[in-house]
Amino acid sequence: MHEMELHDLSDDADYAASIQQGSESMNRGDSSKRSSCSEPEGAEILYLKDNVAIHPTQYASERISGRLKLIKQGSSLFMTWIPYKGQSSNARLSEKDKNLYTIKAVSFSDIRSIRRHTPTLGWQYIIVVLSSGLAFPPLYFYNGGVREFLATIKQHVFLVRSAEDANVFLVNDFQDPLQRTLSSLELPRAVSVANGPSPTLSTESASGSDAEKGASDQSSVSFQQNGRQRQKHNDPARDISIQVLEKFSLVTRFARETTSQLFRESNIDGFTPNERKKNSQSSHEHQSLIMSNDSQKVPEDVPVTSDSPSDPLEFDRLSLVWGKPRQPPLRREEWATFLDSEGRVMDSKALRKRIFYGGVEHNLRAEVWTFLLGYHAYDSTFAEREYLISVRKSEYETIKKQWQSISAEQSKRFAKFRERKSLIEKDVVRTDRSLSFYDGDDNPNVYLLRDILLSYSFYNFDLGYCQGMSDLLSPILFVMRDESESFWSFVFLMERLGPNFNRDQSGMHSQLFALSKLVELLDTPLHNYFMQNDCLNYFFCFRWILIQFKREFEYEKTMRLWEVLWTHYLSEHLHLYVCVAILKRYRSKIMGEQMDFDTLLKFINELSGQIDLDAILRDAEALCICAGENGAACIPPGTPPSLPLEDPMAYPQLDDDVL
């Protein structure tokens, strides 16, 4: 117990200053607000703060402001965040969209930690992490109040500072400290939070006076969710996910109005008159694609439900428009025909199209991947590439020496370095060890993985290292077989995928949102099913997007999929259409077996190694063609992998100021 007190908030100057004014100032300053709220009998508002905002996108103008509360009922403490009604100047955000972010009375018995961020510039914000390992979107305090928030919590639950990270505060952590970094590669598993189901706050809608103030306490929770009684059993995974996960990762829902209406009309063919005309024109444009595949049948495992007239896309489009058959991989002889005498790629679009439909022969990948990743320009010559390789090799050695030169004494005083080095060393020995290239004790390739990742953590110190990066580097090193070339290829890959690993999960949020809009566009019945079964967060696709399906296919097929995605031939976001294609392929099973979130999560995890890559790529191509501009409108600007590289805030990670 003495050890825990060493990391208690009582050693913090901010806490010491706020403890005297925390709940007292709330009682004085917000008494009039409380009196106007319709709270359930026996509930007491301990903390109330207005203008606490969520940022669904990278644009500050699109923030959603609301009211944050700490409420005590009995011996239990709850947190709620309710967005304001009717005060957004952003026409792309409807009230329904904003309400998807509502945090409806989450119990602190379901919360594992709270991380406080204090950037040098900008507003303070917190990230609340649940016992399942998932996190709510960051909550920005535009008018201050983080100290009082933590001080109030401290008075009612056991809250201690993490021994590993001074910015993390552990909730009800009576034994081992929280591991600082959670594994994003494994599907979430809830930890035991109590011997029985967590209590749930009973709340009612806000009064009229509250609505006039802009707060919207419209939805409530009382041992129920969406009118259904919670199942009371000792499965914390279900207790947490069924009540809370619908509110995770629900980033902005602001696609154009035509997007949300497409394929949702009640016409017999599923199109409005204007859409029917456009569809007819589109059919002529794709006639060659259709005719080239009219003898190819829809694979038997593609779920087509005859009793789904509300899903016209199943019959009117995908049964006719089908992705082109896959071709043999690009070979060296054919590769040479794309180059002029000095080594320039003469037609980069034709090359990318060829790779899109066939991939690349393995012994050619080391050369071609550097173009696909942007390491080498398509118009560079042999001589220019050789010179760049030599320059980059020298630069890499300089970067590597930065961490190699850190002495043992320095390391003792460099917590960030020790932390990252320890995490990398733990991860690389678990990465693809079933491959002979990485198999065995003291494998030099495993050490190369470690060295490259450590060097990258110094090259991009803001982003550093996160679990999952070793999975992205492994195939690159396997192909390149050169340390410097692997490092720089990884650098260029991370320019696209780095936002996946942002601490506030903004990159993942934007992609999960775009995926939800694409499913709504391309398979409305499936989207409605997810909405009815509390699955709209699409978190079951998290691993697919984070590491680009690395765990879903065999190693060779993963490399083939990656090079197809890297072509950006049809879309920079083809990986999202791949997600839709997989979900559509198994839609009958998902809907037929009435899968809830937990069952769906387990089912998706068990698909690993069972997905037909060629069929999925054909499906994804067809879906991308069918979606057209409406599909592009579903994807917010800046969504990875097209995040502007010149954006200085692409990796907003350096905010580890100590409280």
Side-chain angles (χ1 to χ4, degrees), residues 511-531:
Q511 291 172 89
L512 290 171
F513 160 73
L515 175 59
S516 72
K517 299 305 295 183
L518 287 175
V519 174
E520 183 178 11
L521 171 70
L522 295 166
D523 196 332
T524 303
L526 183 59
H527 175 83
N528 291 339
Y529 175 84
F530 287 153
M531 181 166 54

Side-chain angles (χ1 to χ4, degrees), residues 180-185 416 419-421 423-424 427-428 430-431 453-454 456-457 460-473 490 494 497-505 542 546-547 651 653:
R180 183 176 184 276
T181 306
L182 301 171
S183 173
S184 297
L185 303 181
K416 181 70 70 175
E419 171 196 312
R420 290 180 177 177
K421 185 172 184 289
L423 186 57
I424 290 171
D427 282 353
V428 295
R430 300 179 298 193
T431 302
L453 291 170
L454 270 171
Y456 181 78
S457 74
N460 188 349
F461 202 84
D462 288 1
L463 184 61
Y465 175 79
C466 298
Q467 289 176 314
M469 291 183 181
S470 62
D471 273 270
L472 296 176
L473 173 61
F490 181 69
M494 292 305 295
L497 300 183
N500 284 8
F501 301 94
N502 281 351
R503 183 176 293 149
D504 63 3
Q505 299 184 357
F542 190 95
L546 181 74
I547 54 174
Y651 307 108
Q653 303 292 99

Side-chain angles (χ1 to χ4, degrees), residues 335 343 345 367-378 380 385:
W335 162 245
V345 175
E367 185 174 355
V368 176
W369 278 18
T370 57
F371 289 93
L372 296 178
L373 290 170
Y375 176 19
H376 290 312
Y378 286 105
S380 62
R385 293 196 289 273

Side-chain angles (χ1 to χ4, degrees), residues 544-560:
W544 292 355
I545 295 174
L546 181 74
I547 54 174
Q548 303 289 280
F549 306 94
K550 170 70 162 30
R551 299 287 182 90
E552 318 314 318
F553 298 99
E554 298 171 358
Y555 208 72
E556 168 60 31
K557 292 182 178 179
T558 297
M559 293 187 289
R560 183 146 52 92

